[in-house]
Amino acid sequence: AQAMQEFLVSDAAGFSRAHQRVLKGEQATRVQIKAAIRQLAKARRGDSVFLYLNGETVVCDDPSQPGDELKKYFLPYDADLEGLEALLQEPASTERSLKIRRHLDATAISFDWLEDTFNQAGLDDHRYVMSRDVMMVLDVTFPGAVTGLRYAPDYAERFAGGAAASPASRRS
């Protein structure tokens, strides 16, 4: 994050240090990250906006998601992983998967939320980024290096069976 900040204020990138906000470690809470992204909505149409997210992710089963049927989240510093682990102790069921998604919706940052914010597509919990010159860099992996497919057992089963590339194939 520090190297990225230094590049952005260099002559090559030309961003002003006064208009930057860097959240690292304990500062990178869910509330602070979402507040910083909402702050981007104050940029005018002609302003350049750059968002760089680096960190851990988690994926969970969600049959309503197009394609891979996974809902993806960015984990802020204060994500409640203990609560997530507690949910895994419940017997596998559709209800448990729903509880996991609800828990993550409350304690992590959904990539659907990020997409809606930058594409002006939804009305949930945010202002839209109005700038026409926006770049977002996600320095993350899916699934996360630490969490893997732990919260996506349905996907993991399809993947092990060779059907992960085509979720529709398991419906036939």
Side-chain angles (χ1 to χ4, degrees):
Q2 190 66 39
M4 182 60 74
Q5 181 184 25
E6 293 306 317
F7 168 74
L8 290 173
V9 297
S10 72
D11 291 339
F15 283 85
S16 165
R17 190 175 296 276
H19 294 114
Q20 289 186 18
R21 185 158 178 202
V22 177
L23 301 172
K24 298 184 285 189
E26 294 177 358
Q27 299 171 329
T29 65
R30 180 177 189 267
V31 168
Q32 290 300 314
I33 292 170
K34 286 184 117 179
I37 292 170
R38 285 187 194 106
Q39 185 71 26
L40 295 176
K42 293 184 178 182
R44 291 168 282 181
R45 290 192 187 275
D47 293 340
S48 295
V49 172
F50 182 86
L51 174 66
Y52 174 76
L53 284 176
N54 172 271
E56 184 66 23
T57 63
V58 65
V59 297
C60 64
D61 290 316
D62 185 353
S64 71
Q65 292 293 316
D68 59 13
E69 298 182 1
L70 290 174
K71 189 151 185 185
K72 299 162 182 84
Y73 295 88
F74 182 80
L75 293 176
Y77 181 84
D78 61 342
D80 179 16
L81 297 179
E82 289 177 5
L84 199 54
E85 282 298 307
L87 290 172
L88 270 187
Q89 303 310 309
E90 295 182 12
S93 67
T94 302
E95 181 63 28
R96 180 181 81 172
S97 292
L98 181 58
K99 286 180 183 180
I100 287 172
R101 288 193 305 275
R102 285 181 183 153
H103 182 80
L104 288 168
D105 282 338
T107 66
I109 299 171
S110 163
F111 279 92
D112 291 340
W113 182 86
L114 284 170
E115 183 178 2
D116 286 349
T117 301
F118 281 88
N119 291 328
Q120 303 178 15
L123 298 175
D124 183 39
D125 180 39
H126 60 272
R127 298 179 197 148
Y128 298 119
V129 175
M130 299 305 289
S131 172
R132 293 183 182 177
D133 187 16
V134 177
M135 176 183 268
M136 178 170 39
V137 174
L138 304 174
D139 188 2
V140 300
T141 58
F142 293 107
V146 174
T147 58
L149 293 174
R150 186 170 178 76
Y151 307 104
D154 293 346
Y155 181 85
E157 184 178 317
R158 289 192 314 271
F159 184 74
S166 177
S169 67
R170 72 181 175 99
R171 292 188 194 109
S172 3

PDB file of all heavy atoms in Angstrom, residues 41-49 120 129-134:
ATOM      1  N   ALA A  41     -17.572   9.360  -3.882  1.00  0.00           N
ATOM      2  CA  ALA A  41     -18.762   9.877  -4.555  1.00  0.00           C
ATOM      3  C   ALA A  41     -18.753  11.405  -4.625  1.00  0.00           C
ATOM      4  O   ALA A  41     -19.479  11.990  -5.421  1.00  0.00           O
ATOM      5  CB  ALA A  41     -20.022   9.382  -3.844  1.00  0.00           C
ATOM      6  N   LYS A  42     -17.916  12.026  -3.813  1.00  0.00           N
ATOM      7  CA  LYS A  42     -17.832  13.487  -3.842  1.00  0.00           C
ATOM      8  C   LYS A  42     -16.968  13.986  -4.994  1.00  0.00           C
ATOM      9  O   LYS A  42     -16.942  15.184  -5.264  1.00  0.00           O
ATOM     10  CB  LYS A  42     -17.302  14.004  -2.508  1.00  0.00           C
ATOM     11  CG  LYS A  42     -18.279  13.768  -1.374  1.00  0.00           C
ATOM     12  CD  LYS A  42     -17.789  14.358  -0.091  1.00  0.00           C
ATOM     13  CE  LYS A  42     -18.825  14.148   1.002  1.00  0.00           C
ATOM     14  NZ  LYS A  42     -18.406  14.760   2.257  1.00  0.00           N
ATOM     15  N   ALA A  43     -16.273  13.073  -5.652  1.00  0.00           N
ATOM     16  CA  ALA A  43     -15.473  13.481  -6.812  1.00  0.00           C
ATOM     17  C   ALA A  43     -16.405  13.986  -7.907  1.00  0.00           C
ATOM     18  O   ALA A  43     -17.491  13.440  -8.118  1.00  0.00           O
ATOM     19  CB  ALA A  43     -14.645  12.301  -7.321  1.00  0.00           C
ATOM     20  N   ARG A  44     -15.973  15.029  -8.588  1.00  0.00           N
ATOM     21  CA  ARG A  44     -16.771  15.560  -9.692  1.00  0.00           C
ATOM     22  C   ARG A  44     -16.548  14.715 -10.948  1.00  0.00           C
ATOM     23  O   ARG A  44     -15.597  13.938 -11.026  1.00  0.00           O
ATOM     24  CB  ARG A  44     -16.401  17.012  -9.933  1.00  0.00           C
ATOM     25  CG  ARG A  44     -16.866  17.903  -8.779  1.00  0.00           C
ATOM     26  CD  ARG A  44     -16.258  19.242  -8.888  1.00  0.00           C
ATOM     27  NE  ARG A  44     -14.887  19.065  -8.400  1.00  0.00           N
ATOM     28  CZ  ARG A  44     -13.997  20.011  -8.306  1.00  0.00           C
ATOM     29  NH1 ARG A  44     -14.281  21.214  -8.689  1.00  0.00           N
ATOM     30  NH2 ARG A  44     -12.793  19.791  -7.840  1.00  0.00           N
ATOM     31  N   ARG A  45     -17.394  14.873 -11.920  1.00  0.00           N
ATOM     32  CA  ARG A  45     -17.320  14.069 -13.153  1.00  0.00           C
ATOM     33  C   ARG A  45     -15.951  14.130 -13.819  1.00  0.00           C
ATOM     34  O   ARG A  45     -15.486  13.148 -14.362  1.00  0.00           O
ATOM     35  CB  ARG A  45     -18.397  14.501 -14.133  1.00  0.00           C
ATOM     36  CG  ARG A  45     -19.778  14.114 -13.686  1.00  0.00           C
ATOM     37  CD  ARG A  45     -20.786  14.298 -14.818  1.00  0.00           C
ATOM     38  NE  ARG A  45     -22.134  14.085 -14.348  1.00  0.00           N
ATOM     39  CZ  ARG A  45     -22.717  12.904 -14.271  1.00  0.00           C
ATOM     40  NH1 ARG A  45     -22.073  11.839 -14.631  1.00  0.00           N
ATOM     41  NH2 ARG A  45     -23.954  12.792 -13.835  1.00  0.00           N
ATOM     42  N   GLY A  46     -15.284  15.262 -13.750  1.00  0.00           N
ATOM     43  CA  GLY A  46     -13.987  15.401 -14.409  1.00  0.00           C
ATOM     44  C   GLY A  46     -12.794  14.971 -13.566  1.00  0.00           C
ATOM     45  O   GLY A  46     -11.667  14.951 -14.046  1.00  0.00           O
ATOM     46  N   ASP A  47     -13.042  14.620 -12.302  1.00  0.00           N
ATOM     47  CA  ASP A  47     -11.946  14.201 -11.422  1.00  0.00           C
ATOM     48  C   ASP A  47     -11.531  12.764 -11.721  1.00  0.00           C
ATOM     49  O   ASP A  47     -12.357  11.935 -12.105  1.00  0.00           O
ATOM     50  CB  ASP A  47     -12.378  14.276  -9.947  1.00  0.00           C
ATOM     51  CG  ASP A  47     -12.612  15.695  -9.469  1.00  0.00           C
ATOM     52  OD1 ASP A  47     -12.096  16.629 -10.117  1.00  0.00           O
ATOM     53  OD2 ASP A  47     -13.309  15.867  -8.457  1.00  0.00           O
ATOM     54  N   SER A  48     -10.263  12.484 -11.510  1.00  0.00           N
ATOM     55  CA  SER A  48      -9.765  11.107 -11.634  1.00  0.00           C
ATOM     56  C   SER A  48      -9.874  10.427 -10.277  1.00  0.00           C
ATOM     57  O   SER A  48      -9.523  10.999  -9.253  1.00  0.00           O
ATOM     58  CB  SER A  48      -8.305  11.100 -12.083  1.00  0.00           C
ATOM     59  OG  SER A  48      -8.192  11.627 -13.375  1.00  0.00           O
ATOM     60  N   VAL A  49     -10.372   9.192 -10.292  1.00  0.00           N
ATOM     61  CA  VAL A  49     -10.552   8.415  -9.067  1.00  0.00           C
ATOM     62  C   VAL A  49      -9.789   7.115  -9.219  1.00  0.00           C
ATOM     63  O   VAL A  49      -9.900   6.428 -10.247  1.00  0.00           O
ATOM     64  CB  VAL A  49     -12.049   8.127  -8.808  1.00  0.00           C
ATOM     65  CG1 VAL A  49     -12.229   7.164  -7.651  1.00  0.00           C
ATOM     66  CG2 VAL A  49     -12.808   9.418  -8.561  1.00  0.00           C
ATOM     67  N   GLN A 120     -23.029   2.427 -10.679  1.00  0.00           N
ATOM     68  CA  GLN A 120     -24.282   3.134 -10.439  1.00  0.00           C
ATOM     69  C   GLN A 120     -25.479   2.229 -10.671  1.00  0.00           C
ATOM     70  O   GLN A 120     -26.469   2.621 -11.270  1.00  0.00           O
ATOM     71  CB  GLN A 120     -24.370   4.383 -11.313  1.00  0.00           C
ATOM     72  CG  GLN A 120     -23.219   5.321 -11.113  1.00  0.00           C
ATOM     73  CD  GLN A 120     -23.302   6.525 -12.016  1.00  0.00           C
ATOM     74  OE1 GLN A 120     -24.320   6.815 -12.598  1.00  0.00           O
ATOM     75  NE2 GLN A 120     -22.216   7.259 -12.112  1.00  0.00           N
ATOM     76  N   VAL A 129     -20.398   6.650  -7.420  1.00  0.00           N
ATOM     77  CA  VAL A 129     -19.196   7.349  -7.856  1.00  0.00           C
ATOM     78  C   VAL A 129     -19.547   8.001  -9.187  1.00  0.00           C
ATOM     79  O   VAL A 129     -19.894   7.325 -10.154  1.00  0.00           O
ATOM     80  CB  VAL A 129     -18.006   6.379  -8.005  1.00  0.00           C
ATOM     81  CG1 VAL A 129     -16.804   7.096  -8.581  1.00  0.00           C
ATOM     82  CG2 VAL A 129     -17.669   5.759  -6.652  1.00  0.00           C
ATOM     83  N   MET A 130     -19.497   9.330  -9.237  1.00  0.00           N
ATOM     84  CA  MET A 130     -19.943  10.068 -10.424  1.00  0.00           C
ATOM     85  C   MET A 130     -18.822  10.345 -11.422  1.00  0.00           C
ATOM     86  O   MET A 130     -19.081  10.688 -12.562  1.00  0.00           O
ATOM     87  CB  MET A 130     -20.591  11.388 -10.002  1.00  0.00           C
ATOM     88  CG  MET A 130     -21.819  11.207  -9.117  1.00  0.00           C
ATOM     89  SD  MET A 130     -23.093  10.153  -9.838  1.00  0.00           S
ATOM     90  CE  MET A 130     -23.696  11.187 -11.123  1.00  0.00           C
ATOM     91  N   SER A 131     -17.580  10.224 -10.990  1.00  0.00           N
ATOM     92  CA  SER A 131     -16.465  10.513 -11.888  1.00  0.00           C
ATOM     93  C   SER A 131     -16.527   9.622 -13.126  1.00  0.00           C
ATOM     94  O   SER A 131     -16.922   8.465 -13.065  1.00  0.00           O
ATOM     95  CB  SER A 131     -15.137  10.281 -11.158  1.00  0.00           C
ATOM     96  OG  SER A 131     -14.072  10.389 -12.067  1.00  0.00           O
ATOM     97  N   ARG A 132     -16.122  10.192 -14.246  1.00  0.00           N
ATOM     98  CA  ARG A 132     -16.076   9.408 -15.489  1.00  0.00           C
ATOM     99  C   ARG A 132     -14.699   8.803 -15.718  1.00  0.00           C
ATOM    100  O   ARG A 132     -14.498   8.054 -16.658  1.00  0.00           O
ATOM    101  CB  ARG A 132     -16.457  10.303 -16.667  1.00  0.00           C
ATOM    102  CG  ARG A 132     -17.900  10.731 -16.590  1.00  0.00           C
ATOM    103  CD  ARG A 132     -18.275  11.553 -17.780  1.00  0.00           C
ATOM    104  NE  ARG A 132     -19.660  11.983 -17.620  1.00  0.00           N
ATOM    105  CZ  ARG A 132     -20.281  12.751 -18.447  1.00  0.00           C
ATOM    106  NH1 ARG A 132     -19.667  13.208 -19.514  1.00  0.00           N
ATOM    107  NH2 ARG A 132     -21.525  13.094 -18.243  1.00  0.00           N
ATOM    108  N   ASP A 133     -13.763   9.130 -14.849  1.00  0.00           N
ATOM    109  CA  ASP A 133     -12.379   8.650 -14.969  1.00  0.00           C
ATOM    110  C   ASP A 133     -12.033   7.872 -13.702  1.00  0.00           C
ATOM    111  O   ASP A 133     -11.474   8.405 -12.762  1.00  0.00           O
ATOM    112  CB  ASP A 133     -11.445   9.846 -15.154  1.00  0.00           C
ATOM    113  CG  ASP A 133     -10.016   9.442 -15.455  1.00  0.00           C
ATOM    114  OD1 ASP A 133      -9.782   8.268 -15.811  1.00  0.00           O
ATOM    115  OD2 ASP A 133      -9.140  10.306 -15.325  1.00  0.00           O
ATOM    116  N   VAL A 134     -12.425   6.596 -13.683  1.00  0.00           N
ATOM    117  CA  VAL A 134     -12.284   5.768 -12.482  1.00  0.00           C
ATOM    118  C   VAL A 134     -11.451   4.535 -12.800  1.00  0.00           C
ATOM    119  O   VAL A 134     -11.643   3.884 -13.824  1.00  0.00           O
ATOM    120  CB  VAL A 134     -13.669   5.311 -11.963  1.00  0.00           C
ATOM    121  CG1 VAL A 134     -13.524   4.377 -10.759  1.00  0.00           C
ATOM    122  CG2 VAL A 134     -14.526   6.512 -11.612  1.00  0.00           C
TER     123      VAL A 134
END
